[in-house]
Amino acid sequence: MAFISRKKNIYPINQDLRKYLIKYGREIKLPIHYDDIAQFDNAITLYDKEGKDTLWETVFYPPHRIDEIYRGLKVMYVELKIGGDMSVARHLTVDRVDLCVYANTRPFRVRIVNTLNDNFDYFYIKRADASRIYGLELEHILSPNRISYISSGDTVVEEHIAGVPGNQFIKNHLKDKHLNSIRLVKEFVKFNERCFVRLLGDMHSSNFVIIATQDFDEIHYRIRAIDFDQQSYEGKKTVFLPQYFKQNNPIIELGYSRLSPESVHQYQSEEKSMIASRLNTTGNRIFALTDVMADDDIAPFENVMHLRNQLADHYENSVFYGCESMGDIVKESLRLVLREVEEYHRNIR
């Protein structure tokens, strides 16, 4: 089983990563930052519809600061969602600001309401961490999902990713008679492969959501990561494979009963092919990102050594022994996918 025993270090955004964020439109000057939002003077426990503690707290601000903070939060949302068009901001109001008290990074979640139709949306405000930035960017470039986020100094603002949390899906939907179990486990195999190729760790069932889409008489599923703090940090390869987290066991056991080893291999190959296609169409962005990442310090060197040795054994490829950083390891992992897909296409011609 995969297990993380120590709290992850927080790594600042260095100058080269900041230049990358500016070049690709991720860095925006915002009127308020995380430290401003943390200046609340009261909080109450937030309960769900069933009266259970959500482990979030709704926070309240002193009267002399609330207008400034709420105005800044609306600017954040407009920059995140509409590229800064403040003409729509007059229809928006901040309904609630919540603080996650159980997470190491203590993120804030803001509920925004459109007063014209009472529709609402959420977004998150977190302290900047280079690991999370690399995780968000790799998700945006290599996965089938686009990610909306912006950074400003020591603050990161992220969109809300809608879906049923994996732990709730396992609890409430896995035995549903309408469940398309083969499609679900197929998607999990692909999700597992994506995480391993780009080294996104800690994908237990609370850190991803499952999205079900009705298509004629079938249901399709997509699994999306919602936590990117453990991008390329741990030294154990199992941490980067969702299949090894005990919280995901019900889906794994379902897969054993629904998929043959040949089918699993096919879906893994399909996902690698899609990753290779995205790498070939992304232009210089992925090279710019991985070059910055390779020169950055985002994990203890002992973790780098352990992981490179394990991956060298896993792939039976000594090239990993030359990796000096987590960014180097990600680079080699992506190169390996490209070579594997190119070789496959050469063999079938």
Side-chain angles (χ1 to χ4, degrees):
M1 291 293 105
F3 180 70
I4 297 175
S5 60
R6 296 181 182 179
K7 180 179 177 181
K8 174 189 167 294
N9 296 330
I10 302 299
Y11 293 90
I13 297 175
N14 67 20
Q15 185 176 7
D16 290 336
L17 180 54
R18 187 79 65 189
K19 289 178 181 178
Y20 171 92
L21 294 171
I22 293 171
K23 179 177 180 179
Y24 289 98
R26 297 296 197 181
E27 180 78 9
I28 303 291
K29 187 176 181 179
L30 294 173
I32 61 172
H33 295 86
Y34 181 96
D35 287 340
D36 298 301
I37 300 161
Q39 299 302 311
F40 56 90
D41 63 354
N42 200 0
I44 59 173
T45 301
L46 180 65
Y47 296 96
D48 64 17
K49 294 179 180 179
E50 298 177 354
K52 296 179 180 179
D53 188 348
T54 63
L55 302 181
W56 289 77
E57 291 181 348
T58 298
V59 303
F60 302 93
Y61 297 94
H64 70 280
R65 295 220 56 196
I66 192 167
D67 287 342
E68 172 198 356
I69 290 174
Y70 277 22
R71 185 165 51 249
L73 292 174
K74 288 198 289 185
V75 171
M76 283 182 173
Y77 181 77
V78 171
E79 289 285 0
L80 181 68
K81 291 287 189 174
I82 320 169
D85 182 3
M86 293 302 298
S87 65
V88 302
R90 64 181 179 273
H91 304 309
L92 302 176
T93 183
V94 176
D95 181 55
R96 196 175 73 221
V97 180
D98 304 322
L99 171 66
C100 184
V101 296
Y102 67 87
N104 291 333
T105 54
R106 295 174 66 83
F108 287 92
R109 179 180 64 195
V110 182
R111 176 168 155 141
I112 290 280
V113 176
N114 186 326
T115 58
L116 294 179
N117 54 23
D118 290 331
N119 192 30
F120 62 87
D121 194 9
Y122 295 97
F123 68 95
Y124 299 84
I125 302 159
K126 305 176 181 179
R127 290 193 183 277
D129 175 22
S131 299
R132 184 185 301 116
I133 295 295
Y134 290 122
L136 289 164
E137 279 295 305
L138 288 169
E139 178 76 2
H140 184 79
I141 295 171
L142 299 178
S143 83
N145 314 302
R146 302 281 71 80
I147 292 286
S148 178
Y149 78 93
I150 52 176
S151 67
S152 181
D154 61 353
T155 300
V156 176
V157 183
E158 298 177 22
E159 68 174 342
H160 173 67
I161 300 174
V164 180
N167 57 339
Q168 293 182 22
F169 190 96
I170 289 172
K171 179 181 178 181
N172 300 323
H173 301 282
L174 209 58
K175 295 184 180 180
D176 190 319
K177 65 179 181 180
H178 299 297
L179 179 77
N180 191 325
S181 56
I182 293 179
R183 290 184 183 274
L184 176 64
V185 294
K186 170 186 176 180
E187 173 60 19
F188 188 86
V189 169
K190 292 191 169 192
F191 177 67
N192 192 74
E193 196 68 21
R194 282 200 302 275
C195 292
F196 190 51
V197 167
R198 46 77 62 94
L199 297 181
L200 175 62
D202 201 25
M203 282 299 108
H204 57 76
S205 59
S206 296
N207 283 341
F208 60 79
V209 296
I210 298 177
I211 305 162
T213 304
Q214 185 72 43
D215 180 26
F216 295 105
D217 58 347
E218 294 288 349
I219 298 177
H220 294 265
Y221 300 95
R222 173 164 293 180
I223 300 178
R224 293 192 62 178
I226 58 173
D227 189 330
F228 301 92
D229 289 353
Q230 285 281 344
Q231 173 64 50
S232 307
Y233 180 78
E234 294 287 338
K236 298 174 289 187
K237 73 172 186 179
T238 52
V239 170
F240 304 105
L241 285 159
Q243 71 188 73
Y244 286 114
F245 284 89
K246 65 180 181 180
Q247 297 92 332
N248 303 334
N249 278 352
I251 298 179
I252 302 302
E253 292 166 2
L254 190 63
Y256 285 139
S257 67
R258 295 292 188 273
L259 297 181
S260 66
E262 293 79 11
S263 294
V264 171
H265 180 71
Q266 175 193 335
Y267 299 145
Q268 289 172 329
S269 297
E270 286 180 6
E271 190 58 34
K272 287 180 181 178
S273 180
M274 292 304 299
I275 292 173
S277 177
R278 295 178 192 118
L279 284 169
N280 287 326
T281 58
T282 191
N284 292 326
R285 185 167 183 163
I286 187 63
F287 300 114
L289 178 69
T290 52
D291 283 348
V292 172
M293 190 178 183
D295 290 335
D296 205 351
D297 177 20
I298 56 172
F301 188 63
E302 63 183 32
N303 289 7
V304 175
M305 290 189 293
H306 289 157
L307 185 60
R308 74 184 187 184
N309 292 343
Q310 289 191 5
L311 292 183
D313 291 341
H314 175 84
Y315 289 114
E316 297 181 351
N317 192 326
S318 61
V319 69
F320 287 97
Y321 291 129
C323 295
E324 297 294 325
S325 68
M326 284 295 184
D328 284 338
I329 296 176
V330 171
K331 272 188 172 184
E332 291 302 335
S333 180
L334 297 180
R335 286 172 180 153
L336 202 62
V337 169
L338 284 172
R339 288 195 294 268
E340 183 177 325
V341 172
E342 288 171 359
E343 182 178 354
Y344 169 77
H345 288 300
R346 281 198 301 270
N347 291 337
I348 65 174
R349 288 190 184 123

